[in-house]
Amino acid sequence: MQETYLETQQISFDEFRKNILEDYRLARISREMSYLGRREVLTGKAKFGIFGDGKELPQIAMAKVFREGDWRSGYYRDQTFAMAVGALTIESFFAQLYADTSLEREPATAGRQMNGHYATRSLNEDGSWKDLTKIKNISCDISPTAGQMPRLLGLAQASNVFKHISFPGSEKFSDHGKEIAFGTIGDASAAEGHFWETLNAACALQSPVILSIWDDGYGISVPTEHQRAKADMAEMLSGFQRKPGETQGCEIIQVKAWDYPALLDAFARAEHFARVEGVPVVVHAVEVTQPQGHSTSGSHERYKSEERLVWESEHDGILKFREWIQQYSIDIEGHHEVLATAEDLDRIEKEAKAEVKNGQKKAWEAFQKTIIEIKSEVYPFIQNICETQPKVQELTDQFKKLVSVGKKDIFHLIRQTLTYTAKSPSEARTQLQQHYEKLMAKEEDHYSSYLYSESRWKATAVEEIQPLYSSDSVQVDGRVVVRNNFDKIFSKYPEVVVFGEDTGNIGDVNQGLEGMQEKYGAVRVSDTGIREATIIGQGIGFAMRGLRPIAEIQYLDYLLYALQTMSDDLSTLLYRTKGGQKAPVIVRTRGHRLEGIWHSGSPMAGILNLCKGMNILVPRNLTKAAGFYNTMLKSDEPALIVECLNGYRLKETQPDNLGKFTVPVGKVEITRSGSDVTAVTYGSIWRIVMQATEILQDLGIDVEVIDVQSLMPFDINHDIAESLKKTSRLVVIDEDVEGGTSAYIVQQVMEKQQAFRYLDETPMTVTGKNHRPAYGSDGDYFSKPSVDDIVEKIYKMFHGINPVKFP
């Protein structure tokens, strides 16, 4: 049996008293942080504040059963817990409140997220993994309501996977699956679909989760009765309660948030269920109070009754904790022992307040020092310029009147000074320009680095390995190429797992995984329920724990269910931790050119806008898709790979080096040389474009065709611009709607590659109609670009150029 909190509490009374008073001290420190944090916002030192006051006791109790190797996926009120497990200090709490960009002072997000968003650093400076079994791990918080839930499933379920598989280095990620994942959420957020989808999946998979609901009776101003079907959340969840002898469902424990000993007991039992029995647990902490209301945006006096406010004051957890400490006494060998006197507790409170104030002062001074240093570096040059530039003197006078100076104010002054002196060169201006460029490079790192990996494993650094063919190479269906390549992948990478709807038993709906579950087992190749958000969340959690997940979304259209998780969590993880955490998930899906509204959509424009931070890969056939899987498994970045839905039965020559060849990310391929016009396209429509070029050739128009292959990153070598130097004409062909991916491609080519200078004609786009594709082959023909559409539109371009030659 694994050791749990229940088995380790044989301690002396003196040790017991010491632990209690340390808990009280921590609770008081956290509360004083909340109080002072609010004041810092209201006095203008910080922008916004949201705090964990009222939740101190349940978080202290939860921290007692949180062990090295465990994970938390929570929300933005868990400051007491973060302090209890050593992931937060007073100084780092205030550094985050001030948006300090120093990783040393604010190691969770380097000032990129507002306060209350905590994280531990899973990665070394070079992007390699730390030993996560030696760390109490916090996955980086996000603000979207219940958005932390899908990831929780994967963090927990990874423990079940590690009970069955190992690989070189896996000891850094798990101790044979003994770890628990802890989730936290407010009761109002539990009305979100992500909560129910995650709990349902955890109960079905029997994932070792402890999911704590902090129930304060309100969702900002909306009371419980308007939030859910029943006021009592535990009662509403009772259908999830497991039955004796069954391997489904969860344990439900309800406990008052102000009852310290009951909280200790509740979380000790929860740990036993999750860690020893492998059963998910819901801890419903009720009668939670919010002494300062929801946030600094408003006062809870506006929507809470006088009676409720009085009740909250009387049931404040720390007040109740103090009462319990003072009332506790015990006789030990004839001696009457107490935990603490009122004077003892008063002293702890006084010390806590002083400690918090001192920590806040240090954080503020360190934050201000950075700003003062920037100002002192450039201000002398601006003052020199003032002597001859009245406008700059006016700008400087306005700057001096600012009550609080931030970096943005200094940079605004610098840039305005450089703008107004553009026609008046001087030595001072030249020096100011040089210092500005140096400072701006630092701020670029502070605010815009790590959108993508900067390690040696970044996707664009993966070496291209060409597919090899020989006289023995065979023609097979496209789905066989990708299936056989997966076979090589599973053999080569024991850490790779794939899961999704119909992925396991039948080998996916298009049989690209045929026979893989039978060969490699149901742990590595598994079926899921219809739950797209938590399929992605499962992938995130797996990847954060060192596995290499391929999360399958059955069709591209269905990705919309998962887009919030991909956008707000997966694609931003590396960025919002400034290189501290990563989740190299491969999202596998299939799409384009089928028939009907719900299975042939192409929502690429939305994906491109919402998933910056992911590689968006759109191979034209299954061989290319297989190469992208091989590439991304050598990378430490997340990717979406969209297989061509109508390519599974088309014949392709199978490469001899399956599992080895790679397709480069960010590079286009010229699939047909031509001299008259450059046609840029991707995915399934590439075949239609190639058919159209043969007709256009008969009409006297020589088309160069470029397959983009990788939408993000896009044409990093600027090969499209090189093509346009030759052809001087651009047409972008895309089955997405008008202004969708085609607009993105035109923007990249015209603006990023500056290719407008090579054009003799206005760029043309050939896109799908602005409605979903109608059903049937006729619906496809009249909804998306056809061979005839492409031929006619390109021909029309040339008619405008030479109406005699092209009548």
Side-chain angles (χ1 to χ4, degrees), residues 18 41 54 147 318 423 425 469 478 484 528 547 590 671 780:
K18 178 184 176 183
V41 173
I318 297 180
K423 297 180 181 179
Y469 300 98
N484 291 346
T528 71
L547 297 167
R590 51 193 66 82
T671 60
D780 174 81

Side-chain angles (χ1 to χ4, degrees), residues 156-376:
Q157 184 61 15
S159 290
N160 286 342
V161 174
F162 279 118
K163 290 175 182 177
H164 298 279
I165 71 169
S166 63
F167 49 88
S170 63
E171 66 278 359
K172 295 170 62 175
F173 302 114
S174 178
D175 180 13
H176 303 94
K178 296 176 182 177
E179 302 80 20
I180 298 174
F182 291 71
T184 62
I185 191 169
D187 67 297
S189 299
E192 291 276 12
H194 282 357
F195 169 83
W196 294 98
E197 187 174 320
T198 299
L199 180 59
N200 177 65
C203 289
L205 294 170
Q206 290 294 279
S207 304
V209 168
I210 297 178
L211 173 52
S212 298
I213 304 170
W214 311 141
D215 191 343
D216 59 25
Y218 289 85
I220 306 183
S221 66
V222 182
T224 292
E225 57 265 28
H226 301 312
Q227 295 280 356
R228 51 185 181 262
K230 291 190 175 183
D232 190 330
M233 190 81 184
E235 180 186 357
M236 190 166 71
L237 288 170
S238 60
F240 285 84
Q241 174 67 50
R242 67 171 178 160
K243 296 179 180 179
E246 292 187 358
T247 55
Q248 286 187 308
C250 64
E251 287 293 330
I252 300 170
I253 300 172
Q254 191 175 76
V255 61
K256 290 180 171 58
W258 48 263
D259 191 338
Y260 175 78
L263 285 162
L264 295 183
D265 177 70
F267 278 99
R269 287 189 291 127
E271 184 199 16
H272 177 84
F273 286 131
R275 201 180 304 276
V276 177
E277 299 186 31
V279 177
V281 185
V282 173
V283 177
H284 182 210
V286 298
E287 299 188 10
V288 178
T289 63
Q290 279 191 332
Q292 298 187 115
H294 176 264
S295 70
T296 56
S297 291
S299 170
H300 58 160
E301 285 84 357
R302 291 183 301 160
Y303 53 84
K304 290 180 182 175
S305 68
E306 185 63 33
E307 292 76 14
R308 172 69 188 193
L309 291 169
V310 170
W311 181 89
E312 289 198 12
S313 177
E314 293 174 347
H315 288 78
D316 182 283
I318 297 180
L319 175 64
K320 287 287 189 181
F321 191 17
R322 180 183 172 115
E323 292 174 356
W324 179 82
I325 292 172
Q326 289 184 262
Q327 292 169 5
Y328 190 97
S329 65
I330 189 172
D331 289 322
I332 301 177
E333 297 179 353
H335 295 283
H336 186 67
E337 300 283 357
V338 297
L339 291 174
T341 64
E343 290 76 17
D344 293 331
L345 298 179
D346 288 343
R347 186 183 68 256
I348 290 174
E349 292 173 13
K350 183 178 179 181
E351 290 170 353
K353 185 174 291 188
E355 190 175 343
V356 170
K357 182 59 183 174
N358 184 53
Q360 174 271 322
K361 183 180 178 182
K362 287 181 179 179
W364 178 251
E365 288 175 350
F367 175 62
Q368 286 295 296
K369 185 171 181 281
T370 300
I371 296 172
I372 292 167
E373 288 173 350
I374 294 173
K375 178 183 174 183
S376 63

